[in-house]
Amino acid sequence: MAGGWLGPRKPIGGAHDAAHGLRKTLSWPHLVALGVGAIVGTGIYTLTGVGADRAGPAVIVAFAIAGAVCAFAALAYAEMATLIPTAGGAYAYTYSVLGETLAWIVGWSLILEYSLACSTVAVGWSAYLVGWIQSLGVDLPAQLLAGPHAGGIINLPAVLVALAIAGMLIAGTRESATFNIILVAIKLTALTAFVVLALPFFDADKMTPFMPYGFGSQVEGGTTRGVMAAAAIVFFAFYGFDAVATSAEEAKNPGRDLTIGILGSMAICTLIYMLVAISAIGSVSYIDLGKSSEPLAFVLRTLGHPGAAWAIGLAALIALPSVILVMMYGQSRIFFVMARDGLLPRFLSKISPRSGAPTTITLVTGVFVALVAGFFRLDEIAELANAGTLVAFIAVAVCMMVLRRRDPDLPRVFRCPKPYLVGTLAVLGCLYLLASLPTHTLTRFAMWNVIGVVFYLAYGRARSVAARNEAAAG
């Protein structure tokens, strides 16, 4: 075990005792579905319109750029996940390659990514549910549909869905992953139906002017517009494949299954997004599309398919919990590994002998997400999730390049093509998207990490298992 000024490094492929090891229950179909389940969420249902407002028809290019940045990161993830097939994703790779201090910062950022994304989707699902129930003529108590910031007491549907998903994860990883496959199938069916219904109405004239606001970000009328401005926003619709990497320790055949899961889910989702964007922009005016908060349903209603619009809304209502499931799964595994490493209280890494899942930390995660979703205002802090994700992507790309230089002869099940080019493009692309975030978002992200570093110095560093092992070996 090597160390340095950035703290101790864990050995690559280090073993864990049975009491703190996760059971291998997942095969590649589960992992592909986990990736698609996390990626295809509220983003594609809402951000098509937001992107169209910022980039016009060139939102298709914005989706391609955001997808390309994520694809570079996905290639790095695939190499690192198969090389270090332990739970924890970017946190675990950083710990083994760069050291404990940077690993803590990455893990702390991942907590922000998963918890905020999970809570945001729970609130979005609550809005879908309430709207759908009210469309049937049923009025619900307003005090139980919003947190104190919106004049209510608690967003009860968001709390209940978060706790229900946590209960499902506690029941067992394989059972949850199998249920997720069903939810993913519903989402993909709904999006395929949208493309089939909208694409025949494609009109090339609606694609001009193709790039009305230019390529770079610029402020027009108080709104930031341009292809890159749209790309920084629609990036939210792509991330989630990194949750597959957190499942590495539970994969039956990590070398094969993780590669298929990470790259397969990215390829499927990029294709879906491009088809949906082309179908939407090509069938209605991008100006009208940009004004809608439910762009896909708006397109179908405009084209004379109100029944299909209603059905796609119902499909979103049924299937969006898959995003909560995968994000909460990823969050619980990050917490679990950090606790197993001693950086968080060790009792949180206890494994259930019945299900083989970390039930204690999953319950804590579910309650944490439910409280955030039920009481806190999320519209101003949701972009913090993007910041945490981008930091994790940068860390993984750097880890891949450093390890290629430091240990070139390590057996690699999946080898990223042109690793230094791909890794550099991933880092530069993520830095550009990070810089494109609002200043107040970056300020809050810095404050979050200051809190995290203080906690690490006050608690985690002194209790680190890796540091104790290093001291004993010395």
Side-chain angles (χ1 to χ4, degrees):
M1 182 180 303
W5 66 277
L6 289 176
R9 298 199 307 264
K10 291 199 298 185
I12 293 175
H16 302 285
D17 60 89
H20 295 94
L22 297 172
R23 189 176 298 169
K24 296 183 180 296
T25 58
L26 304 179
S27 55
W28 69 262
H30 294 108
L31 299 185
V32 171
L34 280 175
V36 176
I39 299 169
V40 180
T42 50
I44 190 59
Y45 284 99
T46 60
L47 290 181
T48 304
V50 175
D53 179 61
R54 298 199 174 201
V59 66
I60 299 166
V61 178
F63 271 115
I65 291 171
V69 172
C70 287
F72 293 138
L75 289 169
Y77 260 98
E79 176 166 322
M80 293 304 299
T82 54
L83 188 61
I84 308 177
T86 59
Y91 161 79
Y93 315 149
T94 307
Y95 210 147
S96 293
V97 179
L98 302 179
E100 183 179 274
T101 304
L102 290 179
W104 170 268
I105 293 172
V106 170
W108 195 250
S109 297
L110 287 171
I111 291 173
L112 198 65
E113 170 194 347
Y114 287 124
S115 59
L116 292 186
C118 201
S119 300
T120 301
V121 176
V123 172
W125 180 87
S126 173
Y128 270 106
L129 176 67
V130 172
W132 190 77
I133 291 177
Q134 289 178 341
S135 72
L136 300 177
V138 178
D139 290 324
L140 300 173
Q143 294 291 310
L144 300 180
L145 304 179
H149 62 85
I153 299 174
I154 185 174
N155 190 328
L156 188 59
V159 170
L160 293 178
V161 73
L163 294 177
I165 294 298
M168 193 176 304
L169 286 169
I170 289 171
T173 301
R174 182 178 177 84
E175 292 78 7
S176 302
T178 301
F179 178 66
N180 179 61
I181 291 177
I182 298 172
L183 298 183
V184 167
I186 293 172
K187 279 196 287 195
L188 295 184
T189 300
L191 292 174
T192 300
F194 172 82
V195 172
V196 169
L197 291 173
L199 197 55
F201 292 88
F202 181 86
D203 181 359
D205 290 340
K206 290 188 169 62
M207 304 294 288
T208 48
F210 183 70
M211 203 176 289
Y213 308 116
F215 184 80
S217 297
Q218 55 185 330
V219 178
E220 289 190 10
T223 301
T224 304
R225 287 194 163 97
V227 173
M228 290 311 302
I233 296 298
V234 301
F235 171 78
F236 179 85
F238 275 96
Y239 74 75
F241 69 84
D242 53 319
V244 177
T246 67
S247 68
E249 198 170 315
E250 293 162 277
K252 293 180 179 178
N253 184 347
R256 178 198 66 188
D257 297 344
L258 288 169
T259 303
I260 296 174
I262 292 172
L263 300 182
S265 60
M266 269 301 300
I268 290 171
C269 294
T270 300
L271 177 62
I272 291 170
Y273 284 7
M274 297 291 284
L275 285 173
V276 169
I278 291 171
S279 301
I281 297 290
S283 56
V284 302
S285 165
Y286 71 86
I287 296 176
D288 294 334
L289 190 69
K291 297 176 182 177
S292 175
S293 60
E294 43 173 359
L296 303 192
F298 169 77
V299 169
L300 292 178
R301 284 196 297 268
T302 302
L303 299 179
H305 297 293
W310 180 86
I312 281 186
L314 177 60
L317 178 63
I318 294 172
L320 279 181
S322 70
V323 182
I324 305 173
L325 187 150
V326 179
M327 290 297 183
M328 191 179 292
Y329 169 85
Q331 172 72 93
S332 65
R333 269 43 180 185
I334 296 295
F335 270 142
F336 165 78
V337 180
M338 294 175 79
R340 187 169 66 183
D341 291 338
L343 304 184
L344 294 175
R346 286 273 284 174
F347 76 89
L348 295 175
S349 63
K350 184 178 179 181
I351 300 292
S352 166
R354 184 189 64 80
S355 65
T359 53
T360 303
I361 195 59
T362 301
L363 178 60
V364 171
T365 302
V367 171
F368 177 70
V369 169
L371 290 175
V372 174
F375 294 103
F376 289 90
R377 185 184 183 110
L378 296 174
D379 56 346
E380 293 182 354
I381 62 173
E383 285 176 307
L384 282 170
N386 279 17
T389 304
L390 288 165
V391 166
F393 285 8
I394 291 169
V396 173
V398 170
C399 286
M400 179 195 67
M401 293 188 288
V402 168
L403 211 54
R404 280 293 187 107
R405 180 60 61 90
R406 182 192 296 159
D407 295 299
D409 297 327
L410 277 175
R412 290 168 169 84
V413 178
F414 174 83
R415 298 182 69 88
C416 175
K418 299 191 179 302
Y420 298 111
L421 175 62
V422 169
T424 300
L425 290 173
V427 170
L428 293 178
C430 289
L431 285 174
Y432 187 91
L433 291 174
L434 192 63
S436 300
L437 291 172
T439 302
H440 64 80
T441 298
L442 296 175
T443 302
R444 290 168 180 167
F445 182 64
M447 292 172 59
W448 168 259
N449 275 293
V450 167
I451 294 171
V453 170
V454 170
F455 182 88
Y456 168 70
L457 295 175
Y459 179 89
R461 187 169 66 170
R463 294 166 176 81
S464 164
V465 173
R468 288 205 302 268
N469 290 342
E470 186 178 69

